[in-house]
Amino acid sequence: MPKVKFFATLREITGKREEIIEGDNVGDVLKVLYEEYGEEFEKELKERSMILVNGKNIEHLEGLKTKVSEEDTISIFPPAGGG
């Protein structure tokens, strides 16, 4: 089971810095997180978030089908705000 690290607003929504989540790929892990943290979490992620597996952006791997194992760390960054 991979370790998932949350940052910024996602940390506020989950109330956690990290969590161990069961899943064989990134999509499976996100599905569990959507069920656990609901619509607010899902909406935040779908607005241009960045997801890294062991420091590599999943856009350069296999996207949501990127395989993960218990040695892997998934880092999820919400969209950056600013002005």
Side-chain angles (χ1 to χ4, degrees):
M1 295 185 286
K3 177 169 50 178
V4 180
K5 290 185 169 182
F6 305 108
F7 296 89
T9 54
L10 295 176
R11 191 175 286 174
E12 293 172 15
I13 293 169
T14 62
K16 299 176 182 174
R17 295 177 150 260
E18 60 184 50
E19 182 173 0
I20 304 294
I21 299 288
E22 191 168 333
D24 294 328
N25 60 49
V26 173
D28 289 346
V29 170
L30 292 183
K31 199 176 293 184
V32 171
L33 292 171
Y34 294 158
E35 289 176 14
E36 189 170 340
Y37 297 110
E39 193 173 306
E40 183 181 9
F41 183 89
E42 186 171 351
K43 182 180 174 196
E44 191 78 10
L45 250 112
K46 290 186 174 177
E47 292 182 9
R48 303 185 47 108
S49 62
M50 182 170 60
I51 301 173
L52 308 178
V53 174
N54 300 327
K56 296 180 181 170
N57 192 323
I58 63 167
E59 290 181 11
H60 304 294
L61 300 172
E62 296 179 48
L64 296 177
K65 294 182 179 177
T66 301
K67 300 269 187 216
V68 291
S69 68
E70 62 185 53
E71 297 87 27
D72 293 324
T73 299
I74 301 171
S75 301
I76 305 175
F77 297 87

